[in-house]
């Protein structure tokens, strides 16, 4: 089922998430719900804290619709075990910060180790949009948002704008973005 996505500022988006100890039916349902929520948004990644669950689970599918087959990935306890020296800058967005975009510089390639929803240990090297996205999602598990890479003044301006957006949404003045 589609789950509501938390909007910044929200304390649950700043928490360090707990490792997943056991793969249960609930966890499998959460992963399915997160993938459905991500595709519906639409987005190319989603982290569990964004749907209010502070556990170390992310989903992503950076294959552009149309040209590549869908490649839904669910990662439990993902860890970056290697990152390239060279960096890429990408104009990032975030489903928890609607209509906010900013350039973020990150290593252009990363090697990630994780446990799949089937319980198997996986390790893969990502580049391009996959590398940007998996780093963005793993940041979420450590309570880090892409705006945390911006200058404090710019970050404060964005947070004030989001607070206004949430107040307007709460009073029903704004249709959900
Ligand atoms: O964490 C999220 O909110 C999901 C982001 C993932 C993302 C952010 C920046 C760069 C790459 C991935 C959403 O998918 S934002 C929507 C989006 C869609 C296509 C390309 C970039 C961002
Ligand atoms: Zn995000």
């Amino acid at each position: 089922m589609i789950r509501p996505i938390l909007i910044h500022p929200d304390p649950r988006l700043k928490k360090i998430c707990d490792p997943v100890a056991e793969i249960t039916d609930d966890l499998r349902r959460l992963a399915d719900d997160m993938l459905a929520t991500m595709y519906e948004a639409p987005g190319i990644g989603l982290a569990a804290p964004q749907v209010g669950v502070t556990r170390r689970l992310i989903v992503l599918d950076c294959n552009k619709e149309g040209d590549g087959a869908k490649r839904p990935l669910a990662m439990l306890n993902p860890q970056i075990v290697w990152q390239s020296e060279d960096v890429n800058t990408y104009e990032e967005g975030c489903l928890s910060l609607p209509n906010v975009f900013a350039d973020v510089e990150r290593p252009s390639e990363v090697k990630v180790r994780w446990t799949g929803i089937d319980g198997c240990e996986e390790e893969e090297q990502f580049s391009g949009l996959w590398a940007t996205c998996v780093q963005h999602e793993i940041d979420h598990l450590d309570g880090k948002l892409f705006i945390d890479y911006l200058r404090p003044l710019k970050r404060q301006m964005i947070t004030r704008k989001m607070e206004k957006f949430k107040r307007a949404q709460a009073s029903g003045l704004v249709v959900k973005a």
Side-chain angles (χ1 to χ4, degrees):
M1 75 184 180
I2 305 294
R3 297 194 186 209
I5 294 176
L6 300 184
I7 302 297
H8 170 77
D10 185 307
R12 290 163 291 182
L13 291 172
K14 302 304 287 170
K15 276 196 60 150
I16 306 277
C17 296
D18 304 318
V20 170
E22 192 195 348
I23 300 176
T24 62
D25 285 347
D26 269 358
L27 194 86
R28 286 190 191 88
R29 191 167 313 111
L30 172 62
D32 288 344
D33 290 353
M34 283 173 61
L35 278 164
T37 304
M38 179 191 80
Y39 284 123
E40 191 264 349
I44 56 174
L46 193 65
Q50 293 182 276
V51 291
V53 178
T54 54
R55 299 175 70 188
R56 302 188 79 83
L57 164 62
I58 64 174
V59 296
L60 55 161
D61 180 355
C62 306
N63 279 358
K64 290 258 185 291
E65 270 167 46
D67 52 9
K70 279 189 175 178
R71 190 199 175 191
L73 269 186
M75 298 185 176
L76 306 179
N77 307 324
Q79 287 177 313
I80 293 174
V81 293
W82 171 85
Q83 60 185 43
S84 61
E85 290 287 311
D86 34 303
V87 294
N88 257 354
T89 299
Y90 190 90
E91 190 186 31
E92 299 196 10
C94 182
L95 297 174
S96 297
L97 287 113
N99 309 313
V100 173
F101 298 93
D103 283 348
V104 177
E105 187 179 273
R106 296 181 190 272
S108 52
E109 290 193 277
V110 286
K111 187 179 282 187
V112 182
R113 191 174 296 156
W114 73 93
T115 304
I117 204 73
D118 55 2
C120 296
E121 285 301 307
E122 307 281 350
E123 184 173 299
E124 185 168 337
Q125 187 160 317
F126 295 97
S127 60
L129 188 52
W130 283 90
T132 298
C133 183
V134 74
Q135 291 177 81
H136 176 110
E137 300 314 329
I138 293 176
D139 271 353
H140 272 298
L141 303 183
D142 295 324
K144 203 168 170 79
L145 301 173
F146 78 97
I147 58 169
D148 295 336
Y149 294 97
L150 308 180
R151 291 191 311 279
L153 211 59
K154 184 149 167 60
R155 184 168 57 247
Q156 283 152 23
M157 257 173 46
I158 290 169
T159 300
R160 265 202 292 281
K161 193 175 117 184
M162 296 308 304
E163 282 165 343
K164 213 168 127 218
F165 170 82
K166 285 177 78 169
R167 277 198 300 275
Q169 207 179 34
S171 55
L173 283 179
V174 174
V175 175
K176 199 170 148 320

